[in-house]
Structures are given as structure tokens and as C-alpha cells.
Amino acid sequence: MQSSLFVLSGPSGVGKTTIRQELAKMIPELFVSVSATTRQKRPDEVNGRDYLFLGKEKFDAMLSENGFFEWANVHGNCYGTPTKPIEEKLANGKDVLLVIDVQGACQVRERMPLSSILIFLLPPSLDELKSRLSGRKSDDDEQVKIRLENAKSELKSLLNYDYSVVNHTIAQATHDVASIIKWCSYRRKYDRQGKN
Ligand code: 5GP
């Protein structure tokens, strides 16, 4: 297979969602997966664009039909990558990006050790992460606390990743992640051609 499966992870509030949107604009040939979740939709989110918002029953039904490439319970809600769209894109030679948590990244690495590339997005500091989480107003104090606690354990997974990028500004971090994606994609295709 010539295509690559990129995974972007990082603690909640680090800026993954914005960078995901910027990457989709910057690399139009990249297929950006839309995850399913049982979490409540936030006011600024659109069903089908940001997530597929499913009830728990529907999520469980998809799970029992092996409909998820990977899935995890994160901060008390279920999240999963629908298998069909990404398998189709990869089979057609397209690169795919998943923006998922560290548990999901681990499952992807096990399923596709040779064609997965894991990128970890870091905040400049934990204090900065705390102020970004508190500032975004979408989560109450209890959620901010849970997400900060989870961030500390997620950071321990950093060494399982191939690359890390510090998000000082959205523009710089998007540029850094895009450079990694473009280089790995080019190298994979070039290496492959070299062997044929
Ligand atoms: P949020 O609720 O803030 O949108 O996302 C919470 C966490 O779930 C984030 O770390 C996000 O990357 C992760 N996440 C989103 N979609 C998926 C998915 O399909 N699978 C997994 N494992 N994690 C996901």
C-alpha cells in the first residue's frame, strides 16, 4: 500500500480541532476522517462535519458490527473512527488523517504498524493548557479538571509517537504538522516506487 495513515493526538484544549481544519485547507488531497461520538454536540459544531453525533445505542450497534477502525472511551464519552470511509480511501491510494486520543492511536499502530505515522501535539506548558481549557467556555469547571488530569497521563504516551510538535501558534503548528505529513507521504510513495 502506498498511502499513509496519519494520526494526530494531544491533550484536550491543545488546538487539535483548529489545526485539523487548517490542515484540510492546506492539504486538500488529504482525507480527514470524521469520528463518531456519543458526546453532546456543542453549539458551534455541525453534525457530519465535526463529528457524527450518535446515541449510545447506535454507537454500540456500530461497534458490534465491527464498524470502528478504533474506538475509545475518552472523558466519559465514546469516540470511534468509522472503518469504511478510511479503508476505501487507503485502498485508493489516498492519505488519511485521524485526530484521535492516545488510546485510539495505540490501536491504529497495532493494526497498521508499517503505514501509520503518529504525531503528538503539545501545549507550550501545562499552565498554558489550563488557561486555554478554561478560556474556551465549552466545558464547565468539572470537565476542565477531568481534561487536565487526563492530559497529564496522555503526555506519558509521548514516546510511542513518531513526531511531536509544540503548538505555540496555530499558524506555526499547522505548518509543522503539514511539513511532516507532506514529507512522510512523499517518502513513502518515493520509496515504494524505488522498490518497483
Ligand atoms: P472532544 O470532546 O474535545 O471533541 O474530544 C475529546 C477527545 O476525543 C480528544 O482527545 C479527541 O482527539 C478524541 N477523539 C475524537 N475522535 C476520536 C476517535 O474517533 N477515536 C478516539 N480514540 N478518540 C477520538
Side-chain angles (χ1 to χ4, degrees), residues 8-13 16-17 33-37 39 42 45 51 68 70-75 77-82 98-105 107 136 139 147 154:
L8 182 67
S9 303
S12 190
K16 297 186 301 283
T17 307
S33 168
V34 177
S35 297
T37 182
R39 163 166 81 60
R42 295 179 184 141
E45 289 178 323
Y51 281 108
F68 292 120
E70 61 70 40
W71 78 278
N73 188 311
V74 192
H75 317 309
N77 292 301
C78 296
Y79 296 81
T81 302
L98 312 182
V99 180
I100 60 176
D101 88 315
V102 295
Q103 306 169 72
Q107 295 169 43
R136 67 181 189 175
D139 304 306
R147 285 169 186 251
E154 283 164 359

Short mmCIF file of all heavy atoms in Angstrom, two decimals, residues 8-13 16-17 33-37 39 42 45 51 68 70-75 77-82 98-105 107 136 139 147 154, ligand 1:
data_model
loop_
_atom_site.label_atom_id
_atom_site.label_comp_id
_atom_site.label_asym_id
_atom_site.label_seq_id
_atom_site.Cartn_x
_atom_site.Cartn_y
_atom_site.Cartn_z
N LEU A 8 -3.11 12.32 14.53
CA LEU A 8 -2.73 13.49 15.34
C LEU A 8 -3.44 13.38 16.68
O LEU A 8 -4.67 13.26 16.73
CB LEU A 8 -3.16 14.77 14.61
CG LEU A 8 -2.80 16.09 15.31
CD1 LEU A 8 -1.29 16.29 15.34
CD2 LEU A 8 -3.46 17.28 14.59
N SER A 9 -2.64 13.36 17.76
CA SER A 9 -3.21 13.30 19.11
C SER A 9 -2.63 14.43 19.94
O SER A 9 -1.65 15.07 19.54
CB SER A 9 -2.82 12.00 19.83
OG SER A 9 -3.20 10.88 19.12
N GLY A 10 -3.21 14.60 21.10
CA GLY A 10 -2.71 15.62 22.01
C GLY A 10 -3.78 15.90 23.02
O GLY A 10 -4.95 15.58 22.78
N PRO A 11 -3.44 16.48 24.15
CA PRO A 11 -4.44 16.71 25.18
C PRO A 11 -5.56 17.64 24.73
O PRO A 11 -5.37 18.46 23.84
CB PRO A 11 -3.64 17.33 26.34
CG PRO A 11 -2.34 17.73 25.77
CD PRO A 11 -2.11 16.95 24.53
N SER A 12 -6.69 17.47 25.36
CA SER A 12 -7.85 18.30 25.08
C SER A 12 -7.49 19.77 25.31
O SER A 12 -6.85 20.10 26.31
CB SER A 12 -8.96 17.87 26.04
OG SER A 12 -10.15 18.44 25.68
N GLY A 13 -7.84 20.63 24.36
CA GLY A 13 -7.58 22.06 24.52
C GLY A 13 -6.27 22.49 23.88
O GLY A 13 -5.96 23.68 23.86
N LYS A 16 -6.13 20.87 18.57
CA LYS A 16 -6.22 19.86 17.50
C LYS A 16 -7.33 20.18 16.49
O LYS A 16 -7.14 20.01 15.30
CB LYS A 16 -6.51 18.46 18.09
CG LYS A 16 -5.42 17.92 18.99
CD LYS A 16 -5.72 16.49 19.41
CE LYS A 16 -7.01 16.31 20.14
NZ LYS A 16 -7.03 16.71 21.54
N THR A 17 -8.48 20.63 17.01
CA THR A 17 -9.62 20.85 16.11
C THR A 17 -9.32 21.95 15.10
O THR A 17 -9.57 21.79 13.90
CB THR A 17 -10.87 21.22 16.94
OG1 THR A 17 -11.04 20.21 17.92
CG2 THR A 17 -12.11 21.30 16.09
N SER A 33 -10.67 12.18 8.43
CA SER A 33 -11.76 11.34 8.92
C SER A 33 -12.67 12.11 9.89
O SER A 33 -12.20 12.93 10.68
CB SER A 33 -11.14 10.13 9.63
OG SER A 33 -12.12 9.42 10.34
N VAL A 34 -13.97 11.82 9.82
CA VAL A 34 -14.93 12.38 10.79
C VAL A 34 -15.31 11.27 11.75
O VAL A 34 -15.83 10.22 11.33
CB VAL A 34 -16.18 12.94 10.06
CG1 VAL A 34 -17.20 13.46 11.07
CG2 VAL A 34 -15.79 14.04 9.09
N SER A 35 -15.03 11.48 13.03
CA SER A 35 -15.30 10.46 14.05
C SER A 35 -16.75 10.45 14.47
O SER A 35 -17.45 11.45 14.32
CB SER A 35 -14.45 10.74 15.29
OG SER A 35 -13.10 10.66 15.00
N ALA A 36 -17.16 9.31 15.01
CA ALA A 36 -18.48 9.22 15.65
C ALA A 36 -18.28 9.42 17.15
O ALA A 36 -17.24 9.05 17.69
CB ALA A 36 -19.09 7.86 15.38
N THR A 37 -19.26 10.04 17.80
CA THR A 37 -19.17 10.19 19.25
C THR A 37 -20.54 10.17 19.90
O THR A 37 -21.54 10.53 19.27
CB THR A 37 -18.45 11.51 19.65
OG1 THR A 37 -18.36 11.55 21.09
CG2 THR A 37 -19.17 12.75 19.19
N ARG A 39 -20.80 11.97 22.63
CA ARG A 39 -20.80 13.25 23.36
C ARG A 39 -21.88 14.17 22.80
O ARG A 39 -22.20 14.13 21.62
CB ARG A 39 -19.41 13.91 23.23
CG ARG A 39 -19.42 15.37 23.57
CD ARG A 39 -18.08 15.99 23.78
NE ARG A 39 -17.30 16.39 22.62
CZ ARG A 39 -17.69 17.28 21.70
NH1 ARG A 39 -18.89 17.82 21.71
NH2 ARG A 39 -16.87 17.60 20.71
N ARG A 42 -21.68 20.47 20.70
CA ARG A 42 -21.51 21.84 21.21
C ARG A 42 -22.19 22.81 20.24
O ARG A 42 -22.36 22.48 19.06
CB ARG A 42 -20.01 22.18 21.31
CG ARG A 42 -19.28 21.31 22.34
CD ARG A 42 -17.79 21.64 22.42
NE ARG A 42 -17.10 20.74 23.33
CZ ARG A 42 -15.88 20.23 23.13
NH1 ARG A 42 -15.21 20.50 22.03
NH2 ARG A 42 -15.34 19.43 24.02
N GLU A 45 -20.78 23.33 16.73
CA GLU A 45 -20.43 22.13 15.96
C GLU A 45 -21.56 21.74 14.98
O GLU A 45 -22.73 22.01 15.24
CB GLU A 45 -20.14 20.95 16.89
CG GLU A 45 -18.84 21.11 17.65
CD GLU A 45 -18.54 19.99 18.62
OE1 GLU A 45 -19.48 19.46 19.25
OE2 GLU A 45 -17.37 19.64 18.77
N TYR A 51 -18.27 15.96 13.87
CA TYR A 51 -18.45 14.58 14.36
C TYR A 51 -19.74 14.04 13.78
O TYR A 51 -20.60 14.80 13.32
CB TYR A 51 -18.61 14.58 15.90
CG TYR A 51 -17.34 14.71 16.69
CD1 TYR A 51 -17.05 15.90 17.36
CD2 TYR A 51 -16.44 13.65 16.81
CE1 TYR A 51 -15.89 16.03 18.13
CE2 TYR A 51 -15.28 13.78 17.56
CZ TYR A 51 -15.01 14.97 18.21
OH TYR A 51 -13.86 15.09 18.96
N PHE A 68 -16.02 0.14 13.64
CA PHE A 68 -14.98 1.11 14.01
C PHE A 68 -13.58 0.56 13.80
O PHE A 68 -13.27 -0.55 14.22
CB PHE A 68 -15.15 1.56 15.47
CG PHE A 68 -16.39 2.36 15.70
CD1 PHE A 68 -17.36 1.94 16.58
CD2 PHE A 68 -16.60 3.55 15.01
CE1 PHE A 68 -18.52 2.69 16.79
CE2 PHE A 68 -17.74 4.31 15.20
CZ PHE A 68 -18.72 3.87 16.09
N GLU A 70 -10.98 1.97 15.12
CA GLU A 70 -10.51 2.05 16.51
C GLU A 70 -11.58 2.80 17.28
O GLU A 70 -12.36 3.53 16.69
CB GLU A 70 -9.16 2.77 16.62
CG GLU A 70 -9.12 4.22 16.15
CD GLU A 70 -9.86 5.19 17.03
OE1 GLU A 70 -9.78 5.06 18.26
OE2 GLU A 70 -10.53 6.08 16.50
N TRP A 71 -11.61 2.64 18.58
CA TRP A 71 -12.55 3.42 19.38
C TRP A 71 -12.03 3.49 20.81
O TRP A 71 -11.19 2.67 21.23
CB TRP A 71 -13.96 2.82 19.33
CG TRP A 71 -14.13 1.63 20.21
CD1 TRP A 71 -13.75 0.36 19.90
CD2 TRP A 71 -14.66 1.60 21.54
NE1 TRP A 71 -14.03 -0.48 20.95
CE2 TRP A 71 -14.59 0.26 21.97
CE3 TRP A 71 -15.20 2.56 22.40
CZ2 TRP A 71 -15.03 -0.13 23.24
CZ3 TRP A 71 -15.63 2.17 23.65
CH2 TRP A 71 -15.54 0.84 24.06
N ALA A 72 -12.55 4.45 21.58
CA ALA A 72 -12.13 4.58 22.99
C ALA A 72 -13.17 5.36 23.76
O ALA A 72 -13.96 6.12 23.18
CB ALA A 72 -10.78 5.30 23.07
N ASN A 73 -13.14 5.16 25.07
CA ASN A 73 -13.93 5.99 25.97
C ASN A 73 -13.01 7.11 26.46
O ASN A 73 -11.98 6.84 27.08
CB ASN A 73 -14.43 5.14 27.14
CG ASN A 73 -15.41 5.92 28.00
OD1 ASN A 73 -15.14 7.05 28.38
ND2 ASN A 73 -16.54 5.30 28.29
N VAL A 74 -13.35 8.35 26.11
CA VAL A 74 -12.49 9.48 26.48
C VAL A 74 -13.32 10.48 27.30
O VAL A 74 -14.39 10.91 26.84
CB VAL A 74 -11.94 10.21 25.22
CG1 VAL A 74 -10.83 11.19 25.60
CG2 VAL A 74 -11.45 9.23 24.17
N HIS A 75 -12.84 10.84 28.46
CA HIS A 75 -13.52 11.78 29.36
C HIS A 75 -14.99 11.37 29.58
O HIS A 75 -15.89 12.23 29.63
CB HIS A 75 -13.51 13.22 28.82
CG HIS A 75 -12.23 13.68 28.22
ND1 HIS A 75 -11.02 13.57 28.86
CD2 HIS A 75 -11.94 14.27 27.03
CE1 HIS A 75 -10.07 14.08 28.10
NE2 HIS A 75 -10.61 14.50 26.99
N ASN A 77 -17.08 9.77 27.47
CA ASN A 77 -17.89 9.57 26.25
C ASN A 77 -17.17 8.64 25.29
O ASN A 77 -15.94 8.50 25.35
CB ASN A 77 -18.12 10.92 25.54
CG ASN A 77 -19.01 11.84 26.34
OD1 ASN A 77 -20.15 11.50 26.64
ND2 ASN A 77 -18.49 12.99 26.72
N CYS A 78 -17.94 8.00 24.38
CA CYS A 78 -17.32 7.09 23.41
C CYS A 78 -17.03 7.84 22.11
O CYS A 78 -17.84 8.66 21.66
CB CYS A 78 -18.26 5.92 23.11
SG CYS A 78 -18.55 4.89 24.54
N TYR A 79 -15.89 7.52 21.53
CA TYR A 79 -15.46 8.11 20.26
C TYR A 79 -14.92 6.98 19.39
O TYR A 79 -14.21 6.10 19.90
CB TYR A 79 -14.32 9.12 20.46
CG TYR A 79 -14.65 10.34 21.28
CD1 TYR A 79 -14.65 10.30 22.67
CD2 TYR A 79 -14.95 11.55 20.66
CE1 TYR A 79 -14.94 11.43 23.43
CE2 TYR A 79 -15.25 12.69 21.41
CZ TYR A 79 -15.24 12.62 22.79
OH TYR A 79 -15.52 13.74 23.53
N GLY A 80 -15.22 7.01 18.09
CA GLY A 80 -14.69 5.96 17.21
C GLY A 80 -14.52 6.44 15.78
O GLY A 80 -15.23 7.33 15.32
N THR A 81 -13.57 5.81 15.08
CA THR A 81 -13.32 6.12 13.67
C THR A 81 -14.08 5.13 12.80
O THR A 81 -13.77 3.92 12.84
CB THR A 81 -11.80 5.98 13.35
OG1 THR A 81 -11.07 6.86 14.20
CG2 THR A 81 -11.51 6.28 11.90
N PRO A 82 -15.08 5.57 12.03
CA PRO A 82 -15.78 4.63 11.15
C PRO A 82 -14.82 3.97 10.15
O PRO A 82 -14.01 4.66 9.51
CB PRO A 82 -16.81 5.52 10.43
CG PRO A 82 -16.98 6.71 11.34
CD PRO A 82 -15.63 6.93 11.96
N LEU A 98 -6.39 10.98 11.00
CA LEU A 98 -7.30 10.79 12.12
C LEU A 98 -6.86 11.71 13.25
O LEU A 98 -5.67 11.75 13.57
CB LEU A 98 -7.25 9.35 12.67
CG LEU A 98 -7.33 8.18 11.69
CD1 LEU A 98 -7.31 6.86 12.47
CD2 LEU A 98 -8.58 8.26 10.85
N VAL A 99 -7.81 12.43 13.84
CA VAL A 99 -7.48 13.25 15.02
C VAL A 99 -8.15 12.56 16.20
O VAL A 99 -9.37 12.68 16.39
CB VAL A 99 -7.95 14.70 14.83
CG1 VAL A 99 -7.60 15.54 16.05
CG2 VAL A 99 -7.32 15.29 13.58
N ILE A 100 -7.37 11.80 16.94
CA ILE A 100 -7.93 10.89 17.96
C ILE A 100 -7.05 10.87 19.20
O ILE A 100 -5.93 11.39 19.19
CB ILE A 100 -8.09 9.45 17.40
CG1 ILE A 100 -6.73 8.89 16.96
CG2 ILE A 100 -9.07 9.43 16.23
CD1 ILE A 100 -6.78 7.45 16.50
N ASP A 101 -7.54 10.24 20.26
CA ASP A 101 -6.79 10.25 21.52
C ASP A 101 -5.68 9.18 21.53
O ASP A 101 -5.54 8.41 20.56
CB ASP A 101 -7.75 10.08 22.71
CG ASP A 101 -7.98 8.64 23.04
OD1 ASP A 101 -8.21 7.84 22.10
OD2 ASP A 101 -7.92 8.27 24.23
N VAL A 102 -4.94 9.13 22.63
CA VAL A 102 -3.77 8.25 22.70
C VAL A 102 -4.14 6.75 22.69
O VAL A 102 -3.40 5.93 22.15
CB VAL A 102 -2.90 8.57 23.93
CG1 VAL A 102 -2.29 9.96 23.84
CG2 VAL A 102 -3.67 8.45 25.23
N GLN A 103 -5.31 6.41 23.26
CA GLN A 103 -5.74 5.00 23.24
C GLN A 103 -6.02 4.55 21.81
O GLN A 103 -5.64 3.45 21.39
CB GLN A 103 -7.02 4.82 24.05
CG GLN A 103 -6.98 5.33 25.48
CD GLN A 103 -8.38 5.34 26.08
OE1 GLN A 103 -8.92 4.28 26.39
NE2 GLN A 103 -8.97 6.51 26.23
N GLY A 104 -6.69 5.43 21.06
CA GLY A 104 -7.00 5.12 19.65
C GLY A 104 -5.73 5.01 18.83
O GLY A 104 -5.60 4.13 17.97
N ALA A 105 -4.77 5.93 19.10
CA ALA A 105 -3.51 5.92 18.35
C ALA A 105 -2.79 4.59 18.53
O ALA A 105 -2.22 4.03 17.59
CB ALA A 105 -2.64 7.07 18.83
N GLN A 107 -4.16 1.68 19.13
CA GLN A 107 -4.86 0.64 18.35
C GLN A 107 -4.50 0.74 16.87
O GLN A 107 -4.33 -0.27 16.19
CB GLN A 107 -6.38 0.79 18.51
CG GLN A 107 -6.88 0.56 19.93
CD GLN A 107 -8.35 0.99 20.07
OE1 GLN A 107 -9.18 0.73 19.22
NE2 GLN A 107 -8.65 1.66 21.17
N ARG A 136 -12.03 28.46 26.80
CA ARG A 136 -12.88 28.15 25.64
C ARG A 136 -14.36 28.00 26.00
O ARG A 136 -15.19 27.86 25.11
CB ARG A 136 -12.35 26.96 24.85
CG ARG A 136 -12.41 25.64 25.53
CD ARG A 136 -11.82 24.56 24.62
NE ARG A 136 -12.04 23.24 25.15
CZ ARG A 136 -11.72 22.14 24.54
NH1 ARG A 136 -11.17 22.19 23.34
NH2 ARG A 136 -11.93 20.97 25.09
N ASP A 139 -16.56 23.85 28.22
CA ASP A 139 -16.59 22.85 29.28
C ASP A 139 -16.73 23.54 30.64
O ASP A 139 -16.15 24.60 30.86
CB ASP A 139 -15.28 22.04 29.27
CG ASP A 139 -15.03 21.40 27.93
OD1 ASP A 139 -15.93 20.69 27.44
OD2 ASP A 139 -13.97 21.65 27.35
N ARG A 147 -10.24 16.99 32.16
CA ARG A 147 -9.41 17.06 30.96
C ARG A 147 -7.95 17.36 31.30
O ARG A 147 -7.04 16.84 30.66
CB ARG A 147 -10.00 18.07 29.97
CG ARG A 147 -11.23 17.49 29.26
CD ARG A 147 -12.06 18.46 28.47
NE ARG A 147 -13.27 17.80 27.98
CZ ARG A 147 -13.52 17.47 26.71
NH1 ARG A 147 -12.66 17.77 25.77
NH2 ARG A 147 -14.63 16.84 26.37
N GLU A 154 -1.99 11.43 29.43
CA GLU A 154 -1.79 11.33 27.97
C GLU A 154 -0.35 11.69 27.58
O GLU A 154 0.22 11.10 26.67
CB GLU A 154 -2.76 12.27 27.24
CG GLU A 154 -4.18 11.74 27.16
CD GLU A 154 -5.21 12.81 26.80
OE1 GLU A 154 -4.84 13.99 26.63
OE2 GLU A 154 -6.38 12.46 26.71
P1 5GP B 1 -13.62 16.50 22.22
O1 5GP B 1 -14.77 16.02 23.03
O2 5GP B 1 -12.85 17.59 22.93
O3 5GP B 1 -14.00 16.87 20.81
O4 5GP B 1 -12.62 15.26 22.07
C1 5GP B 1 -12.17 14.58 23.21
C2 5GP B 1 -11.03 13.65 22.82
O5 5GP B 1 -11.52 12.59 22.00
C3 5GP B 1 -9.93 14.32 22.02
O6 5GP B 1 -8.68 13.89 22.54
C4 5GP B 1 -10.13 13.79 20.63
O7 5GP B 1 -8.94 13.78 19.87
C5 5GP B 1 -10.62 12.40 20.93
N1 5GP B 1 -11.29 11.78 19.79
C6 5GP B 1 -12.05 12.37 18.85
N2 5GP B 1 -12.47 11.47 17.95
C7 5GP B 1 -11.94 10.28 18.31
C8 5GP B 1 -11.99 8.96 17.75
O8 5GP B 1 -12.60 8.67 16.72
N3 5GP B 1 -11.31 7.99 18.43
C9 5GP B 1 -10.61 8.23 19.56
N4 5GP B 1 -9.96 7.21 20.11
N5 5GP B 1 -10.53 9.47 20.10
C10 5GP B 1 -11.19 10.47 19.49
#
